[in-house]
Amino acid sequence: MSQKNLSVRLASRTQVFPEKSSETIVTEASQCAVQPIKSRKPVMKAAVIDQKNSIHLNEIAVPEIREGEALIRVRYCGICGSDLHVLHGQHPTAKFPVVPGHEFVGELVEAKGVGADKFQPGDMVVAQPFFSCGNCEPCAKGHDNVCRDLHFMGAHCNGAFAEYVKVATRKMYKIPADMDLKLAALAEPVAVAMHDVRRSGLQAGETALVIGGGPIGMLIAMVARQAGARQVVISELNAFRCEFARKLGFITVNPAAPDFDAQMQALTNGKGFDVTFEVSGSKPGIVSAIQYTTIGGMVMIVGMTKEPYPVNLSTMFTKELRMQGVRIHAQYNFIGAVEMLKSGILNREFAALISKVYPFEQIEQAFQFVQVPGDYFKVLVEIK
């Protein structure tokens, strides 16, 4: 993206909680509406998307927490593809202005409500990055990720590309004091992968195809193998990603190769894969998912599409395929991700996905960097 389309206004910094008497700033309340400050309130530095293709580093109000909420001093936050969807005006329900960011770790400042007594100020914590009502039918069934009144951080309310962020206390979890904070910032995308694999019903000894070898696709492959898949194949165009995957022991195929179909048939003796995760969000990816999933198999729709794509219902019917959409992750899967990180069982592989870390003052450069396809996976921003 050109400089004229993506700009950053750097606000001067005075102290952690400087006070302003009267100016227009973005607040966490009222769905991130822009409101004038009528009384003296502490402010912080935050990256604000105020309109399509425009992100600015501004001073805004420090979130005010209520009963059942906690305030976290952010240390690291990762850039996700959905942050770019918001920036480009492609997120279907995002509201401007908004502070993006939902893959974060930080230091607890204050907590209120049920469960607050389990924490101490200074604890390093991660949190499931959305607010759910806990009362609707989906929430009651354990599907808080599709709550009827869902407010996702970085889209519907302010996120974590800021010095401070507020979260639901009941969705916050402490991490070990000695855990690498950059690794802890991966808790949210790991939870996405765990949610996708669990929802797929993948059984030990089955085969899995992952279409799209980006950060989420790679995490799904790692979690699927850990869950017992005997064979995990990644379909990916990017040579860097393919080489990375092969070094981790995965089989890779290039969908642009002339013998792509022959390779896919040979890998499963013409039977197809038990579970296919379509992570690319592309039309060719969806076509391949239907084509290369075995009879009675499961197709997982993970990638966000920019427009509706046709599905071959005849093949779905003939092969009696199942198709499952997935959105974010349920809370029990976020807990599972935190526990997996604490166990260390895949931390070497997870850490290898962190390609670059930018200082908060270079948030413009960080967002510009991730908009150009290249040889990298996760990009983090350190917020000091």
Side-chain angles (χ1 to χ4, degrees):
M1 176 171 289
S2 66
Q3 184 71 23
K4 68 178 181 180
N5 290 330
L6 182 65
S7 60
V8 172
R9 293 193 294 266
L10 296 178
S12 60
R13 182 176 183 179
T14 54
Q15 59 188 48
V16 174
F17 278 177
E19 294 184 341
K20 293 291 181 76
S21 58
S22 178
E23 65 177 84
T24 299
I25 68 174
V26 180
T27 66
E28 178 83 45
S30 303
Q31 298 303 304
C32 310
V34 177
Q35 300 177 353
I37 293 297
K38 297 182 179 180
S39 61
R40 297 170 65 86
K41 289 188 176 183
V43 299
M44 65 179 181
K45 193 173 293 184
V48 179
I49 300 176
D50 56 356
Q51 60 183 329
K52 181 179 177 180
N53 295 329
S54 177
I55 185 168
H56 307 274
L57 198 58
N58 287 342
E59 283 186 346
I60 69 171
V62 172
E64 296 180 1
I65 65 170
R66 301 171 294 183
E67 192 71 9
E69 296 178 343
L71 184 67
I72 297 172
R73 170 74 168 90
V74 182
R75 296 288 298 274
Y76 289 94
C77 187
I79 301 178
C80 174
S82 62
D83 294 319
L84 298 183
H85 289 145
V86 174
L87 176 66
H88 297 318
Q90 296 169 345
H91 193 288
T93 58
K95 302 175 183 296
F96 297 144
V98 70
V99 176
H102 57 271
E103 302 177 358
F104 64 93
V105 60
E107 179 182 353
L108 178 64
V109 177
E110 181 184 7
K112 296 181 179 180
V114 177
D117 57 348
K118 299 178 182 178
F119 301 91
Q120 296 291 331
D123 285 344
M124 290 299 170
V125 294
V126 293
Q128 191 183 27
F130 57 80
F131 295 86
S132 51
C133 74
N135 296 317
C136 66
E137 293 173 12
C139 283
K141 294 177 181 179
H143 305 307
D144 59 316
N145 56 309
V146 286
C147 170
R148 294 189 184 280
D149 191 30
L150 184 75
H151 291 91
F152 189 72
M153 293 168 57
H156 312 126
C157 57
N158 284 342
F161 280 115
E163 292 177 309
Y164 295 87
V165 67
K166 76 171 181 178
V167 302
T169 301
R170 65 186 178 89
K171 293 176 177 285
M172 182 173 66
Y173 300 91
K174 184 164 64 173
I175 62 171
D178 60 350
M179 179 179 285
D180 183 346
L181 295 184
K182 293 187 291 295
L183 190 64
L186 299 181
E188 198 278 339
V190 172
V192 169
M194 183 163 289
H195 181 77
D196 297 348
V197 172
R198 283 178 168 175
R199 290 287 280 163
S200 76
L202 177 72
Q203 300 294 310
E206 291 187 330
T207 59
L209 170 64
V210 179
I211 300 175
I216 293 298
M218 205 66 68
L219 285 169
I220 288 173
M222 294 175 187
V223 173
R225 184 166 63 183
Q226 186 64 33
R230 64 179 172 84
Q231 182 189 61
V232 179
V233 176
I234 299 174
S235 174
E236 171 58 49
L237 290 165
N238 183 282
F240 167 79
R241 292 176 175 178
C242 287
E243 179 62 22
F244 180 90
R246 286 193 291 270
K247 288 181 179 177
L248 293 180
F250 295 110
I251 298 170
T252 65
V253 289
N254 186 334
D259 61 343
F260 174 67
D261 181 69
Q263 290 185 61
M264 296 295 277
Q265 298 296 337
L267 286 168
T268 63
N269 294 319
K271 297 178 180 179
F273 296 87
D274 295 303
V275 178
T276 297
F277 299 90
E278 204 306 295
V279 194
S280 71
S282 67
K283 182 178 179 179
I286 293 174
V287 171
S288 291
I290 302 299
Q291 181 177 354
Y292 296 113
T293 302
T294 193
I295 293 173
M298 172 66 83
V299 177
M300 299 296 295
I301 303 300
V302 181
M304 291 181 64
T305 61
K306 296 180 180 180
E307 59 187 60
Y309 293 137
V311 172
N312 189 329
L313 294 180
S314 177
T315 303
M316 290 282 296
F317 171 85
T318 303
K319 295 168 68 174
E320 203 171 71
L321 298 178
R322 294 162 292 149
M323 182 176 286
Q324 172 72 56
V326 282
R327 183 184 183 190
I328 323 174
H329 46 76
Q331 187 167 357
Y332 73 94
N333 287 322
F334 189 85
I335 296 171
V338 173
E339 292 302 315
M340 178 171 279
L341 285 165
K342 288 164 64 176
S343 76
I345 195 167
L346 288 176
N347 284 3
R348 181 183 66 85
E349 290 87 344
F350 291 161
L353 288 173
I354 301 173
S355 302
K356 198 173 183 64
V357 180
Y358 282 88
F360 195 30
E361 291 73 18
Q362 294 181 15
I363 191 77
E364 173 190 18
Q365 293 93 320
F367 267 77
Q368 288 177 336
F369 178 81
V370 298
Q371 291 179 76
V372 180
D375 297 346
Y376 62 88
F377 285 101
K378 291 303 298 183
V379 173
L380 305 183
V381 175
E382 183 177 12
I383 303 175
K384 293 183 178 180

